[in-house]
Amino acid sequence: CECGAGIGRVTKGLLLDFCDRSDLVESSERLLFASPEYIGNDAYKCRFFAKELQDWEPPEKKYSIVWIQWVLCYLTDDDIVKFLQRCSESLVDGGIIVMKENTCADPAFVVDVDDASATRSIPYWLDLIFKAGLKVTKHQMQDDFPDDIYPVPMFALQPVSQRS
């Protein structure tokens, strides 16, 4: 499942290489409608959901992987925790959530009023992850980006109650 899917770059370039099918969740209908053409011949393996993440109710025990990339910055802290909890409940045993978001060096967060987004620090993200009942099983920094942009960590998350 790809959340904040845009036109489905992660689904096309990664998820369909490892999964039989992928659900794409995207709030922009314009981007979602462009997804099948972008994904191409494998689009029949996908389902498309035009939903805001704070309103999306994933089915329980459905996904082996939920990929969330550069979209949680538009949600409130409370919506993030609730969304991550729902994603956790949507995982099959052994499933993971992959989260990739910009981070800041500030102790908490930086607000971009023009973009209506919040860039959170790594400790801030870890607190939200903990509040959602998740644990970090792997953490890696995206190291091939220019130095003048926000650092981008990638987190692999699993429910605290699940063994790694």
Side-chain angles (χ1 to χ4, degrees):
C1 178
E2 181 181 3
C3 297
I7 61 171
R9 285 185 179 93
V10 172
T11 291
K12 179 179 179 174
L14 177 70
L15 297 180
L16 289 177
D17 289 342
F18 298 96
C19 305
D20 294 335
R21 58 189 89 105
S22 181
D23 289 349
L24 287 78
V25 184
E26 171 57 49
S27 63
S28 168
E29 290 184 0
R30 179 183 60 80
L31 293 174
L32 199 62
F33 290 150
S35 297
E37 182 178 344
Y38 175 77
I39 294 169
N41 292 336
D42 287 333
Y44 75 94
K45 298 177 182 179
C46 300
R47 295 187 311 167
F48 305 90
F49 298 93
K51 276 293 221 190
E52 300 281 343
L53 294 184
Q54 63 268 30
D55 299 325
W56 183 58
E57 298 282 342
E60 289 187 16
K61 301 207 178 287
K62 167 91 173 163
Y63 302 115
S64 56
I65 185 168
V66 175
W67 191 282
I68 310 162
Q69 179 170 304
W70 286 316
V71 68
L72 296 180
C73 58
Y74 299 106
L75 272 61
T76 66
D77 291 355
D78 190 51
D79 284 337
I80 289 170
V81 170
K82 290 175 183 173
F83 171 71
L84 289 175
Q85 288 169 335
R86 291 192 308 273
C87 288
S88 177
E89 293 166 3
S90 77
L91 294 175
V92 299
D93 290 340
I96 63 165
I97 297 167
V98 175
M99 188 183 100
K100 184 174 174 179
E101 292 286 333
N102 289 346
T103 58
C104 62
D106 189 275
F109 55 88
V110 176
V111 174
D112 183 334
V113 177
D114 294 332
D115 191 41
S117 66
T119 301
R120 295 162 175 91
S121 67
I122 289 178
Y124 201 96
W125 275 118
L126 294 174
D127 184 60
L128 294 176
I129 290 165
F130 175 78
K131 287 177 179 172
L134 295 164
K135 63 184 174 186
V136 176
T137 59
K138 178 86 171 149
H139 170 230
Q140 182 174 329
M141 296 301 292
Q142 181 92 36
D143 59 6
D144 56 350
F145 283 169
D147 292 335
D148 60 341
I149 65 170
Y150 284 122
V152 180
M154 296 170 280
F155 298 103
L157 311 172
Q158 289 186 310
V160 169
S161 60
Q162 182 173 300
R163 294 160 112 185
S164 302

